[in-house]
Amino acid sequence: MGLENIVMQARDPSTTGRFWSAALGLVDGTPAFPGDYEGRLDLGGGAWIDVCIEPVADPPPPGWRLHLDLLGGAEQDQVVARLRDLGARPLDVGQRGVPWAVLADPDGNPFCVMEEREVYRGTGPIAALPLDSADPERDGELYAAMTGWVPTTGVAPVSLRHPAGRGPLLELCPEPAPKVRQNRTHLDVRPDPGGPDQQETVELALSLGATRATEDWAQGHSWVVLRDTSGNEFCVLADPA
């Protein structure tokens, strides 16, 4: 399997998509559905991740279990200034004296620009994908199986990365509070050609502690909506054509 999409939500996917396209250097693509945005982040060596933005009616709720940490490092101040010029704004989520900068995209979705960290060298513009987890070890096992990513040295209890050593870290972080609502950002995985198909991938996820989403919005798609052992949504996409 492989991690294919980072899926975000916004009231105006077009405006928000233009921001993330410029912020990350995405190659704009053709979205699967009218009104969505889709852009591709080239990680080099044939590796890539698509950033997809789908429309929602409501503003971002408080409490974020998955967000983007952008690479800042020695140029953190310059990166923050450039992102503000693109339409980001400072955001107060209760952080006090932290070395990273907390911003919001044009729709209000929070993200961070990180300080210098050795573990983020060579990641590209997205340094990490921090995901709140009630059990990082158990969720780490699930996501390793779902993405094909492997354990790596990081700042979280469990960190995973593409086996080529490219791109962001997926960081399983101890949750500050249990999940109470649908996440506004989630991950999509897709079976690789010649590997386990969609049904087999879903069955593997269930055997590792995932559960099916049973709400009406999760039904009737070509993809299967699951939740990890902490309740975070992720999708298993259809087999490749």
Side-chain angles (χ1 to χ4, degrees):
M1 284 72 74
L3 174 57
E4 182 161 316
N5 301 325
I6 303 169
V7 183
M8 307 169 66
Q9 295 179 335
R11 288 163 290 180
D12 185 347
S14 178
T15 297
T16 306
R18 285 196 299 270
F19 168 81
W20 284 110
S21 180
L24 302 176
L26 305 178
V27 176
D28 293 347
T30 302
F33 300 98
D36 287 9
Y37 166 83
E38 184 170 323
R40 178 156 296 183
L41 177 61
D42 184 359
L43 302 175
W48 51 269
I49 299 177
D50 285 349
V51 176
C52 305
I53 305 175
E54 58 187 21
V56 291
D58 299 322
W64 279 79
R65 295 179 64 87
L66 175 63
H67 66 272
L68 276 61
D69 280 351
L70 304 192
L71 188 69
E75 299 180 349
Q76 183 186 44
D77 291 343
Q78 296 95 309
V79 173
V80 169
R82 183 177 72 86
L83 293 168
R84 293 190 64 175
D85 287 343
L86 292 174
R89 58 178 175 82
L91 186 66
D92 185 354
V93 293
Q95 75 275 17
R96 294 293 182 269
V98 296
W100 55 87
V102 182
L103 302 175
D105 72 13
D107 198 66
N109 300 314
F111 66 95
C112 299
V113 180
M114 305 307 293
E115 77 283 7
E116 183 73 26
R117 292 185 180 182
E118 180 65 30
V119 295
Y120 294 156
R121 291 192 182 276
T123 61
I126 304 177
L129 301 167
L131 177 62
D132 288 351
S133 171
D135 189 337
E137 292 289 343
R138 193 176 182 196
D139 280 328
E141 181 183 8
L142 171 63
Y143 282 106
M146 292 295 98
T147 64
W149 289 17
V150 297
T152 188
T153 300
V155 296
V158 175
S159 296
L160 304 174
R161 197 175 188 185
H162 191 284
R166 299 178 182 272
L169 281 66
L170 176 59
E171 298 179 335
L172 284 303
C173 306
E175 62 180 19
K179 183 177 182 294
V180 295
R181 61 177 64 85
Q182 181 185 356
N183 289 354
R184 213 173 196 245
T185 303
H186 72 266
L187 304 176
D188 288 346
V189 301
R190 189 186 298 275
D192 286 335
D197 62 17
Q198 183 188 46
Q199 181 177 345
E200 291 169 328
T201 302
V202 169
E203 290 173 351
L204 174 61
L206 296 175
S207 74
L208 293 171
T211 55
R212 292 180 182 269
T214 58
E215 294 87 346
D216 288 345
W217 56 261
Q219 312 306 314
H221 308 296
S222 62
W223 57 88
V224 178
V225 184
L226 301 177
R227 290 192 170 93
D228 65 22
T229 67
S230 302
N232 301 303
E233 293 87 6
F234 69 97
C235 296
V236 178
L237 303 177
D239 298 331

